[in-house]
Amino acid sequence: MHLLITIPVAANLQTVKAGFTESLFKALAPPFPKVVLVHFGGSKAGDKVHVRLHFPLLPAQNWISDITEDAETENQWYFIDRGVELPFFLGFWEHKHIVTQHTSHTTITEDITFKGPWWLPDFLLYPTLYLQFSARKKVYQRLFGKA
């Protein structure tokens, strides 16, 4: 399954890149399930991010991602996180964060490829993930301005 969400913001590329911090990571967490940040290593290749998801009546679920790649040009910066330990409802996760400078604004693109452990969860996950990642627009635009 594939999600692609593009969000325009007013800040320039360097400001947005500098804003990808632990504080932003926490601000982007969805209201459900409860997300506890265990470790935030950063956004460069070799870094790790570890969160623990808490669902009612279920044991806590670890979600550990490795930052597998990052690169920057004059007009674009990106990094990729790939799930190495995933919660029960995911079998594969790759998330490319792309920040692109345009003449009058910058875009933040959430490019996500995922799979459930089998086909049925994919169709249940898609609308849930789409809503959760679409909600990031408000956070990004609050922090970096509306374009």
Side-chain angles (χ1 to χ4, degrees), residues 9-20 72-78 98-102 105-107 144:
V9 296
N12 67 33
L13 173 94
Q14 291 306 316
T15 300
V16 174
K17 179 183 177 189
F20 268 77
E72 185 173 4
T73 65
E74 184 179 335
N75 297 319
Q76 190 176 80
W77 169 67
Y78 76 90
I98 308 163
V99 180
T100 307
Q101 180 70 60
H102 302 279
H105 69 285
T106 300
T107 56
F144 302 122

Side-chain angles (χ1 to χ4, degrees), residues 19-39:
F20 268 77
T21 63
E22 183 175 331
S23 294
L24 175 62
F25 187 86
K26 289 177 179 179
L28 292 171
F32 181 82
K34 179 182 175 191
V35 177
V36 174
L37 181 60
V38 176
H39 175 75

